[in-house]
Amino acid sequence: MKNSNGVKNPIDTTDPNESITLRPKLETFDDILPYVGDFGRYQWLLLLALLPYSVAYATLYFSQFFLTLVPQEHWCKIEELISLNLTQEERVEVGIPKSQSYPYYDRCHRRDIDFFPIINHRMDIRSIEWKANKTVDCNQWEYNFTQIPYASIAVELDWVCDQEYLISTAQSIFFCGSIFGGLLFGWIADHRGRIPALVLCNGIGFLASIATASANTFWTFAICRFLTGLSFDNCINIPLIIVLEYMAVNRRTLVVNIAFGVYFAVGSTVLPWIAYYVANWRFFAYVSAIPMMSVFITPWILPESARWFVANGRIDKVVQKLQRIAKINRKSPEVCIYDVFVRNLTVSETQTESANIFDILKSPRLAKNTILLIFFWSLTMIAFDGHVYSLKLIPSSVFVSFSLACATELPAGLLLTLLLDRWGRRFCGFITLAMTCLFSFAELLLQPIIAKLTMSVLSRFCLNMAANVGLQYAAELLPTPIRTQGVALIHIFGIIAHSIAPYVVDSAKIWDGLPMIIISIVSFVAATLILFLPETLGRDLPQTLRQGEDFGKDQSFWALPCFERLRSNRHRHYRPREL
């Protein structure tokens, strides 16, 4: 029997056309959501509300790249040669030793010659044959601003040569802030609510981004970036978890791909050109704070997590939320549905299941899955960031190459939307990282610049899909009581990987091809590890630690949704047997 909305009455227990027993009760939030609308106007509004948070995430992620960008063409500043009114090319030719690699001169040393006697005797300095091979270290530098039209803080403070590590260190300090932020805001989100945590998170990021513009030393810059880093990751993780929880099971893929395939893609593709046309790193720091102004509208555009209310025993709030969703979605469920839902909530949900991250260790399978998620996400982030930072090693316009790489987010998101609910999370994660390994190795072997850039863009295309799979996997596999903390833990390890990635690119000083070798290896390992996770396609989100422990017990290692479409469709409508 169906009600006026065409939804099966919750009292019905069987379908005469099926031999499988339906859910006899409205026991979970996933059970009742279809009656008030699990993919209607309300869900589309939530998808739209993700826009400022995805753009803020892109800005936080990549803004420091442009705040510390240094032109590859830089050389020792020689005051004597500048006084002769020589061109940049002539000063380099006269005073700087040659080099075999791009930009084909030594960026850290100058010829050890006293140019003043030559100047005083008014000799033609370009006609002198240099016989001395002695060089000295630079103490000041000149920069060619042809391709990068502004002096970043790294240029102003000469973070080059033996000081170049400060750029990677500042980036690592930013991500260290993310570790503390992940722990802090993850705890607040699970114990005080998602919305209070998000408001505090974005508020700190907003103020710290503004403060960055006032930095004038390495340590003032590092402190500002540490505070900004507190909001990184959680500025998108918390909204993403909220929206996923209000979305139909078979529409969860759309959430991640809208957030990253569209919003994040647009934000990260436009960001380089904002830096290019602002052409002032301090003004750019102010601009980077604008997306964080979502802090002022968050309580009005995002709801508190209904599952958080359920997990904390606040059932009245859940009913209010369901009634609001029904109103916006123009649904008119029978009043008895709410009564049945409240009455039939399972004991594990009605009691306050207060859990912390250490409870994962008490559940062997849940602990194993969490560890696999940690390694998968961390290795994917090393490969992802490695390709981001390696763009500055390719002798081309970094703004063009960065935009091309970021523009792959949209087609990657669209392709993943078509494939993820057909092929499943495991296979999509495996194939994208395996292809990343191949493209990264090809980038190492190929010599033409355009070929290297093509391989880099293709690798980024695959990594975009792999990262989206990882984001969705963690939110789907971890149970409600520790979902935010668990996702935060996984991303904390990912942030450690973020901190390592700049040094992976710095390994090019040892050998030019070493960064791509490292990226190829970590991509292959990550591709292998994801095969040992259970498939989440079409499954309800686990609501308790017990459900998280039992999740996927009925799955075979070789089971792939693309070959089991019938079984996959059944899981969309029926509860897994272990639940």
Side-chain angles (χ1 to χ4, degrees), residues 175 233 374 377-378 381-382 385 489-499:
F175 289 121
D233 242 21
I374 287 171
W377 182 253
S378 300
M381 288 302 98
I382 290 176
D385 279 8
L489 176 68
I490 292 168
H491 285 260
I492 284 169
F493 280 93
I495 289 163
I496 295 173
H498 283 305
S499 304

Side-chain angles (χ1 to χ4, degrees), residues 8 31 35 54 86 128 179 241 260 291 331 344 366 373 443 480 529 541 547:
K8 288 184 181 295
D31 294 345
Y35 293 93
S54 296
L86 299 178
I128 298 175
I179 296 175
I241 288 172
F260 290 94
K331 294 277 188 177
N344 293 337
L366 187 56
L373 285 170
E443 183 177 346
T480 297
L529 291 178
L541 299 179
Q547 291 177 5

Side-chain angles (χ1 to χ4, degrees), residues 75 85 182 217 220 274 358 416 522 578:
W75 59 91
N85 292 325
T217 65
T220 56
I274 294 176
F358 297 104
L416 193 65
V522 299
E578 71 271 16

Side-chain angles (χ1 to χ4, degrees), residues 41-93:
R41 294 175 64 200
Y42 186 81
Q43 283 72 27
W44 281 107
L45 289 173
L46 289 183
L47 288 174
L48 182 62
L50 282 176
L51 173 60
Y53 305 102
S54 296
V55 173
Y57 180 73
T59 304
L60 286 173
Y61 198 161
F62 297 128
S63 61
Q64 192 159 320
F65 181 87
F66 298 100
L67 290 171
T68 59
L69 195 57
V70 175
Q72 289 194 61
E73 297 185 13
H74 57 269
W75 59 91
C76 291
K77 185 177 183 180
I78 305 173
E79 295 289 352
E80 305 97 297
L81 298 182
I82 293 176
S83 66
L84 292 178
N85 292 325
L86 299 178
T87 65
Q88 288 183 348
E89 292 78 7
E90 290 171 336
R91 291 198 296 271
V92 170
E93 182 181 357

Side-chain angles (χ1 to χ4, degrees), residues 372 375-384 387 425-441 458-470 473 519-531:
L372 287 172
F375 276 102
F376 169 73
W377 182 253
S378 300
L379 295 174
T380 301
M381 288 302 98
I382 290 176
F384 189 96
H387 273 286
R425 283 51 165 159
R426 293 168 67 238
F427 186 72
C428 285
F430 169 78
I431 195 66
T432 52
L433 284 167
M435 292 178 68
T436 297
C437 176
L438 294 176
F439 289 138
S440 299
F441 194 69
L458 289 174
S459 296
R460 178 67 179 277
F461 176 80
C462 294
L463 284 166
N464 288 335
M465 290 191 284
N468 287 359
V469 171
Y473 227 147
I519 291 171
S520 297
I521 292 173
V522 299
S523 299
F524 176 78
V525 174
T528 304
L529 291 178
I530 196 173
L531 294 176

